[in-house]
Structures are given as C-alpha cells and as structure tokens.
Amino acid sequence: EQLKNQIGQTENGGILLSGLLTWRLVLAEWVNRQVADLYGVLVTSFHSTRRAYQHMLNTLTGDGSPDTLRSLVQNDPTGETAEEFRRWQTAVLQPLNRRAAETIMEHADLTDSLAHVPVMLQFVAHVNAYNIVLQRWATGSLDALATTRPGIHYPDELPDIVEGEYIRLKNRQATLLGLQQQTVSRL
C-alpha cells in the first residue's frame, strides 16, 4: 500500500506501476512454466521411481539392499529373482525414467542453473543407454554383468537437486502470487 501511494505521487507513477505489475506477471508465468512443465513432472517421476525401486528391492531381496539384488541376479541370471527384476525394470522403472528423460529433453530451457544441466544430461544418457540392456533382454541375452548395468552411471544426486528446485520454485510462486508460504525442506 505504501509503495502504491509513493508511486501514485509521481508524475509517471501509473506507467511505473504498470511496468512493475507486467514484470511480476511475466515472472510468475515463467515460474509457473518451470513448475508445471519441468520440475513438477520430474519431482513426481523421481519420487515414484524411488518408491517403486525401494519396493522392488524389499520384495526381491528381503533386506532392501541393491548389492543383494545385484548378487542374486548375477549368480542366477535366469532365476525367478532375475526375471522379476527384469519385469520391474521393463514395466515400472524404465517407463518412469523415460518420462523424466523426455521431460528434460523437451524443457531443459526452463532450468535456472547451468550447474544442474550436466547432471540432467547424464541422466538422459543413462536412460537411453539402458535401452540396450532392455533390447538384450528382449532377444534372450541374459548375461548377468552385461544386462544389469547400462554403462553410464545413474546420477544419484539428481532427484535431490530436482526436489530442491521444486521446493524453491513453489516458494517463489507463492511469493509472486501473494500467498502465505509454507516452509518445506523435503517432500
């Protein structure tokens, strides 16, 4: 209100206020696009993937350990655990990863930080390299070592980066819309 009064007292106050409101609307639209088109999709995909991955580990190993699963699959690549692992990868995990990779490729221009781009690109490369693993499975090749790793490391830090950006942007969105912010540090 005080700002409105000060602006209203200047000769060009209406123009200045109009410019500030226009800038705020443009910024709000940018943040809305970042949340809706990039970080909202990614945070949903990564959260779903983490939960599904942990459920798969718990179901297949009993101890929830990725090392235990890797050992079980490598020791018996044609066994029930290995088959179930391949089903989880094919039907659940890889589709979620593909959705996230497609979102990054389509909307990478919405990132604010160039520091995050290399990690995002590594994720896209990992997901695409995994297609070779899936193709080997589809043709019956079950060599244990060659079919559990795509050769390009999954960037473990990416889901946390995405979550942090999502929370930051949701707080920014609330500020721009004049809403009361809810401080959230983790989803």
Side-chain angles (χ1 to χ4, degrees), residues 124-138:
V124 171
H126 167 81
V127 171
N128 285 302
Y130 217 99
N131 288 332
I132 295 298
V133 173
L134 297 179
Q135 187 178 41
R136 287 179 182 144
W137 293 345

Side-chain angles (χ1 to χ4, degrees), residues 28-99:
E29 178 57 30
W30 170 254
V31 172
N32 289 342
R33 283 193 59 224
Q34 287 178 296
V35 169
D37 295 343
L38 182 61
Y39 290 102
V41 175
L42 292 179
V43 82
T44 302
S45 293
F46 289 138
H47 184 74
S48 299
T49 301
R50 273 184 175 172
R51 291 187 71 131
Y53 179 73
Q54 194 56 56
H55 182 75
M56 177 193 71
L57 288 175
N58 292 337
T59 301
L60 298 181
T61 67
D63 68 0
S65 166
D67 293 334
T68 300
L69 179 60
R70 192 170 10 268
S71 176
L72 289 169
V73 170
Q74 289 175 353
N75 290 336
D76 189 6
T78 60
E80 180 58 35
T81 299
E83 287 181 26
E84 191 64 15
F85 166 73
R86 288 188 291 277
R87 279 191 285 274
W88 272 92
Q89 288 291 343
T90 303
V92 179
L93 300 173
Q94 192 62 6
L96 286 166
N97 285 337
R98 279 191 191 122
R99 173 74 168 112

